[in-house]
Amino acid sequence: MSVLSETSNRHIMAVKFVIAGGFGVGKTTFVGAISEVEPLTTEAAMTVVATGVDDHNAVAQTTKLTTTVAMDFGRLTVDESLVMYLFGAPGQGRFTFMWDDLINGALGAVVLVDTRRVEDCFAAVDYFEKKELPFVVGVNCFDGAAHYSLDEIREALGIPVGTPVFEMDARDKTSCRDALLVLLELLVARLTAKSPS
Amino acid sequence: MSGQDSPRQLGLIRPFIMTGGRTATTRPGLRWETLIEVLGDRSRLAKTTEQRTVLSLAGRPISIAELSAYMHLPTQVVAILVGDLLDTGAIRIHQTDPVEIELSALTRMIERVRAL
């Protein structure tokens, strides 16, 4: 906070990361583990389009409803000119409406997988791949949950070689920190591969 | 920020009333993490209560997402308010175009996260 307190002409770069996953997988806990402030809640307005049946007149047939979806996010000040923001985002397909806004400018994502509901992150993985947003996959191993090997998870989600998949525990701060480091190291590797010096 | 039974929280005032019905900003460079900051003492340039609130919160760099959280308004509404304030010259934004991240920035982030 203190390093952001002075008004001056310098520019502060804000970078964004996405923590995606299904309900109860630990997105907010993850955000809270990294954030220097208690996670805040923002909301994105969402237009639900109830589509009509007449294809020839689709526009005329639709009804629009506006509602909002809450998202928790946190902040980590790196230094006087760099701030990281982490947004917890629901991974299920019905939230894709806001992912364009969400990943606009984002550097990368951590996808949290609950082995009891792997399908909750199918849509997020597909979307990040399509948009070429670098991501890593953290597999949360909850007590009593069926245990799948990382290879099985990789295959089930269709995760390409070169995208890290690892086990983690979102309830553990060190584990969240390490997951974010895996993502940051991936970004370094991609950047170095792109521009060899 | 506002009382528990305020019209806003009872849902009696639709957020987009504050934007004159606009649902998207004309400034595509405004992202959730975009930082804005008041330029000197320009609070007189605020035309509405919401604009005044933005200016009061933006004495130091603050993101659109944080404004959204503190003001209990959707990010899109805040982006429109911020766009209007940029037009008046009351605030500045800290970056516009999508970030082309540099290795040195990533290295600084890694060091910071490692230190957690």
Side-chain angles (χ1 to χ4, degrees):
Chain A
M1 200 79 176
S2 57
V3 293
L4 293 184
S5 59
E6 291 169 37
T7 302
S8 72
N9 290 324
R10 69 187 152 72
H11 273 249
I12 300 170
M13 181 191 282
V15 293
K16 177 169 58 187
F17 295 90
V18 178
I19 313 300
F23 178 75
V25 75
K27 300 183 296 288
T28 303
T29 315
F30 191 117
V31 168
I34 306 295
S35 180
E36 66 201 4
V37 294
E38 279 293 306
L40 295 161
T41 304
T42 184
E43 50 184 41
M46 150 184 201
T47 304
V48 183
V49 181
T51 316
V53 283
D54 184 354
D55 283 347
H56 300 289
N57 240 327
V59 176
Q61 295 285 320
T62 56
T63 315
K64 284 187 176 181
L65 304 164
T66 304
T67 182
T68 57
V69 176
M71 264 166 306
D72 293 324
F73 70 100
R75 184 187 66 203
L76 181 64
T77 304
V78 176
D79 52 38
E80 69 282 351
S81 61
L82 185 58
V83 188
M84 300 166 71
Y85 283 94
L86 272 73
F87 285 86
Q92 300 94 313
R94 65 177 181 277
F95 296 111
T96 44
F97 72 93
M98 62 178 197
W99 287 351
D100 285 341
D101 279 351
L102 180 62
I103 72 156
N104 180 14
L107 293 185
V110 177
V111 177
L112 295 181
V113 178
D114 179 345
T115 53
R116 296 166 301 185
R117 292 190 300 265
V118 175
E119 66 276 10
D120 279 0
C121 57
F122 280 153
V125 165
D126 284 349
Y127 183 81
F128 296 155
E129 275 181 7
K130 197 165 64 187
K131 298 287 181 175
E132 298 182 339
L133 181 76
F135 67 95
V136 299
V137 180
V139 180
N140 246 324
C141 297
F142 290 100
D143 302 331
H147 194 87
Y148 298 96
S149 74
L150 293 179
D151 283 342
E152 285 171 321
I153 300 275
R154 182 184 286 279
E155 192 178 278
L157 288 171
I159 296 163
V161 181
T163 293
V165 181
F166 50 87
E167 286 184 4
M168 65 167 295
D169 183 348
R171 294 164 300 185
D172 179 52
K173 184 175 168 148
T174 312
S175 187
C176 295
R177 182 199 67 186
D178 291 345
L180 186 55
L181 284 170
V182 172
L183 175 61
L184 289 167
E185 299 283 4
L186 176 72
L187 295 179
V188 169
R190 297 258 168 105
L191 191 67
T192 329
K194 213 175 1 175
S195 54
S197 52
Chain B
M1 192 158 294
S2 51
Q4 282 202 328
D5 295 319
S6 76
R8 246 295 284 157
Q9 290 184 343
L10 288 170
L12 298 178
I13 301 175
R14 305 298 296 168
F16 292 103
I17 294 291
M18 299 168 198
T19 65
R22 291 166 297 161
T23 57
T25 175
T26 52
R27 291 176 183 265
L30 295 178
R31 301 188 295 274
W32 293 358
E33 71 278 20
T34 299
L35 296 168
I36 67 151
E37 187 176 12
V38 169
L39 282 169
D41 180 23
R42 308 287 173 90
S43 47
R44 65 194 155 74
L45 292 172
K47 292 195 188 82
T48 65
T49 308
E50 289 75 27
Q51 288 186 359
R52 261 189 294 282
T53 308
V54 171
L55 293 184
S56 70
L57 289 168
R60 66 188 71 184
I62 188 170
S63 65
I64 286 185
E66 284 162 309
L67 288 169
S68 161
Y70 295 139
M71 296 175 73
H72 304 288
L73 289 174
T75 46
Q76 294 97 325
V77 172
V78 173
I80 292 165
L81 295 172
V82 164
D84 290 346
L85 284 167
L86 281 168
D87 289 340
T88 68
I91 58 172
R92 70 172 176 124
I93 50 178
H94 275 258
Q95 70 197 34
T96 46
D97 301 321
V99 184
E100 188 70 36
I101 199 72
E102 289 176 355
L103 188 59
S104 66
L106 285 173
T107 310
R108 281 148 62 206
M109 284 186 254
I110 288 171
E111 280 170 12
R112 180 69 185 89
V113 173
R114 272 206 189 115
L116 282 175

mmCIF file of all heavy atoms in Angstrom, chain B residues 79-98:
data_model
loop_
_atom_site.group_PDB
_atom_site.id
_atom_site.type_symbol
_atom_site.label_atom_id
_atom_site.label_comp_id
_atom_site.label_asym_id
_atom_site.label_seq_id
_atom_site.Cartn_x
_atom_site.Cartn_y
_atom_site.Cartn_z
ATOM 1 N N ALA B 79 -16.041 1.336 -15.375
ATOM 2 C CA ALA B 79 -15.256 1.681 -16.568
ATOM 3 C C ALA B 79 -15.878 2.872 -17.297
ATOM 4 O O ALA B 79 -15.164 3.734 -17.818
ATOM 5 C CB ALA B 79 -15.153 0.472 -17.489
ATOM 6 N N ILE B 80 -17.193 2.933 -17.330
ATOM 7 C CA ILE B 80 -17.876 4.051 -17.997
ATOM 8 C C ILE B 80 -17.652 5.351 -17.210
ATOM 9 O O ILE B 80 -17.337 6.398 -17.778
ATOM 10 C CB ILE B 80 -19.378 3.745 -18.165
ATOM 11 C CG1 ILE B 80 -19.560 2.599 -19.171
ATOM 12 C CG2 ILE B 80 -20.135 4.990 -18.631
ATOM 13 C CD1 ILE B 80 -20.932 1.973 -19.162
ATOM 14 N N LEU B 81 -17.782 5.268 -15.877
ATOM 15 C CA LEU B 81 -17.535 6.450 -15.037
ATOM 16 C C LEU B 81 -16.095 6.936 -15.223
ATOM 17 O O LEU B 81 -15.838 8.143 -15.345
ATOM 18 C CB LEU B 81 -17.765 6.105 -13.552
ATOM 19 C CG LEU B 81 -19.192 5.734 -13.122
ATOM 20 C CD1 LEU B 81 -19.195 5.233 -11.680
ATOM 21 C CD2 LEU B 81 -20.115 6.943 -13.265
ATOM 22 N N VAL B 82 -15.166 6.000 -15.263
ATOM 23 C CA VAL B 82 -13.754 6.343 -15.428
ATOM 24 C C VAL B 82 -13.509 6.960 -16.809
ATOM 25 O O VAL B 82 -12.775 7.947 -16.944
ATOM 26 C CB VAL B 82 -12.866 5.089 -15.205
ATOM 27 C CG1 VAL B 82 -11.459 5.302 -15.747
ATOM 28 C CG2 VAL B 82 -12.812 4.738 -13.721
ATOM 29 N N GLY B 83 -14.148 6.405 -17.829
ATOM 30 C CA GLY B 83 -14.012 6.954 -19.179
ATOM 31 C C GLY B 83 -14.477 8.398 -19.240
ATOM 32 O O GLY B 83 -13.824 9.258 -19.850
ATOM 33 N N ASP B 84 -15.601 8.692 -18.572
ATOM 34 C CA ASP B 84 -16.121 10.061 -18.532
ATOM 35 C C ASP B 84 -15.142 11.001 -17.820
ATOM 36 O O ASP B 84 -14.929 12.141 -18.241
ATOM 37 C CB ASP B 84 -17.478 10.098 -17.818
ATOM 38 C CG ASP B 84 -18.577 9.441 -18.654
ATOM 39 O OD1 ASP B 84 -18.345 9.210 -19.864
ATOM 40 O OD2 ASP B 84 -19.657 9.156 -18.093
ATOM 41 N N LEU B 85 -14.549 10.514 -16.721
ATOM 42 C CA LEU B 85 -13.600 11.340 -15.965
ATOM 43 C C LEU B 85 -12.318 11.576 -16.758
ATOM 44 O O LEU B 85 -11.706 12.642 -16.652
ATOM 45 C CB LEU B 85 -13.285 10.680 -14.616
ATOM 46 C CG LEU B 85 -14.391 10.817 -13.566
ATOM 47 C CD1 LEU B 85 -14.133 9.886 -12.386
ATOM 48 C CD2 LEU B 85 -14.515 12.259 -13.083
ATOM 49 N N LEU B 86 -11.926 10.587 -17.566
ATOM 50 C CA LEU B 86 -10.754 10.779 -18.434
ATOM 51 C C LEU B 86 -11.044 11.889 -19.441
ATOM 52 O O LEU B 86 -10.180 12.709 -19.739
ATOM 53 C CB LEU B 86 -10.413 9.476 -19.169
ATOM 54 C CG LEU B 86 -9.656 8.420 -18.355
ATOM 55 C CD1 LEU B 86 -9.656 7.083 -19.097
ATOM 56 C CD2 LEU B 86 -8.226 8.874 -18.085
ATOM 57 N N ASP B 87 -12.278 11.914 -19.939
ATOM 58 C CA ASP B 87 -12.666 12.954 -20.898
ATOM 59 C C ASP B 87 -12.567 14.350 -20.289
ATOM 60 O O ASP B 87 -12.241 15.318 -20.976
ATOM 61 C CB ASP B 87 -14.103 12.710 -21.395
ATOM 62 C CG ASP B 87 -14.180 11.488 -22.313
ATOM 63 O OD1 ASP B 87 -13.125 11.087 -22.846
ATOM 64 O OD2 ASP B 87 -15.282 10.947 -22.477
ATOM 65 N N THR B 88 -12.847 14.457 -18.999
ATOM 66 C CA THR B 88 -12.788 15.772 -18.350
ATOM 67 C C THR B 88 -11.363 16.156 -17.957
ATOM 68 O O THR B 88 -11.117 17.296 -17.567
ATOM 69 C CB THR B 88 -13.643 15.810 -17.057
ATOM 70 O OG1 THR B 88 -13.021 14.968 -16.076
ATOM 71 C CG2 THR B 88 -15.066 15.350 -17.298
ATOM 72 N N GLY B 89 -10.438 15.195 -17.997
ATOM 73 C CA GLY B 89 -9.060 15.485 -17.601
ATOM 74 C C GLY B 89 -8.842 15.452 -16.104
ATOM 75 O O GLY B 89 -7.831 15.925 -15.612
ATOM 76 N N ALA B 90 -9.784 14.864 -15.358
ATOM 77 C CA ALA B 90 -9.661 14.829 -13.903
ATOM 78 C C ALA B 90 -8.721 13.729 -13.426
ATOM 79 O O ALA B 90 -8.179 13.805 -12.327
ATOM 80 C CB ALA B 90 -11.039 14.635 -13.264
ATOM 81 N N ILE B 91 -8.550 12.718 -14.249
ATOM 82 C CA ILE B 91 -7.714 11.583 -13.842
ATOM 83 C C ILE B 91 -6.791 11.175 -14.987
ATOM 84 O O ILE B 91 -6.972 11.595 -16.125
ATOM 85 C CB ILE B 91 -8.573 10.350 -13.456
ATOM 86 C CG1 ILE B 91 -9.471 9.940 -14.640
ATOM 87 C CG2 ILE B 91 -9.419 10.635 -12.235
ATOM 88 C CD1 ILE B 91 -10.204 8.627 -14.418
ATOM 89 N N ARG B 92 -5.818 10.348 -14.643
ATOM 90 C CA ARG B 92 -4.994 9.741 -15.688
ATOM 91 C C ARG B 92 -4.988 8.234 -15.468
ATOM 92 O O ARG B 92 -5.275 7.762 -14.366
ATOM 93 C CB ARG B 92 -3.567 10.281 -15.637
ATOM 94 C CG ARG B 92 -2.778 9.811 -14.418
ATOM 95 C CD ARG B 92 -1.316 10.216 -14.532
ATOM 96 N NE ARG B 92 -0.555 9.865 -13.351
ATOM 97 C CZ ARG B 92 0.545 9.094 -13.388
ATOM 98 N NH1 ARG B 92 0.970 8.592 -14.523
ATOM 99 N NH2 ARG B 92 1.215 8.830 -12.285
ATOM 100 N N ILE B 93 -4.690 7.494 -16.525
ATOM 101 C CA ILE B 93 -4.525 6.057 -16.350
ATOM 102 C C ILE B 93 -3.049 5.728 -16.480
ATOM 103 O O ILE B 93 -2.288 6.429 -17.142
ATOM 104 C CB ILE B 93 -5.352 5.221 -17.363
ATOM 105 C CG1 ILE B 93 -5.146 5.684 -18.795
ATOM 106 C CG2 ILE B 93 -6.815 5.262 -17.010
ATOM 107 C CD1 ILE B 93 -5.911 4.842 -19.789
ATOM 108 N N HIS B 94 -2.667 4.648 -15.804
ATOM 109 C CA HIS B 94 -1.248 4.323 -15.718
ATOM 110 C C HIS B 94 -0.725 3.534 -16.902
ATOM 111 O O HIS B 94 0.464 3.400 -17.071
ATOM 112 C CB HIS B 94 -0.949 3.601 -14.412
ATOM 113 C CG HIS B 94 -0.725 4.556 -13.283
ATOM 114 N ND1 HIS B 94 0.516 4.870 -12.812
ATOM 115 C CD2 HIS B 94 -1.601 5.298 -12.564
ATOM 116 C CE1 HIS B 94 0.409 5.758 -11.848
ATOM 117 N NE2 HIS B 94 -0.863 6.028 -11.668
ATOM 118 N N GLN B 95 -1.616 2.943 -17.673
ATOM 119 C CA GLN B 95 -1.166 2.276 -18.895
ATOM 120 C C GLN B 95 -2.389 2.095 -19.777
ATOM 121 O O GLN B 95 -3.507 2.049 -19.290
ATOM 122 C CB GLN B 95 -0.518 0.926 -18.594
ATOM 123 C CG GLN B 95 -1.523 -0.107 -18.131
ATOM 124 C CD GLN B 95 -0.859 -1.280 -17.442
ATOM 125 O OE1 GLN B 95 0.144 -1.137 -16.764
ATOM 126 N NE2 GLN B 95 -1.436 -2.432 -17.594
ATOM 127 N N THR B 96 -2.175 1.995 -21.047
ATOM 128 C CA THR B 96 -3.314 1.857 -21.938
ATOM 129 C C THR B 96 -3.308 0.526 -22.676
ATOM 130 O O THR B 96 -4.193 -0.291 -22.512
ATOM 131 C CB THR B 96 -3.336 3.005 -22.961
ATOM 132 O OG1 THR B 96 -2.027 3.157 -23.487
ATOM 133 C CG2 THR B 96 -3.794 4.291 -22.316
ATOM 134 N N ASP B 97 -2.278 0.297 -23.454
ATOM 135 C CA ASP B 97 -2.273 -0.887 -24.304
ATOM 136 C C ASP B 97 -2.032 -2.163 -23.499
ATOM 137 O O ASP B 97 -1.444 -2.112 -22.428
ATOM 138 C CB ASP B 97 -1.192 -0.748 -25.377
ATOM 139 C CG ASP B 97 -1.441 0.486 -26.224
ATOM 140 O OD1 ASP B 97 -2.612 0.748 -26.511
ATOM 141 O OD2 ASP B 97 -0.462 1.185 -26.551
ATOM 142 N N PRO B 98 -2.474 -3.292 -24.030
ATOM 143 C CA PRO B 98 -2.160 -4.553 -23.366
ATOM 144 C C PRO B 98 -0.659 -4.700 -23.159
ATOM 145 O O PRO B 98 0.152 -4.259 -23.969
ATOM 146 C CB PRO B 98 -2.671 -5.600 -24.358
ATOM 147 C CG PRO B 98 -3.775 -4.923 -25.067
ATOM 148 C CD PRO B 98 -3.361 -3.477 -25.160
#
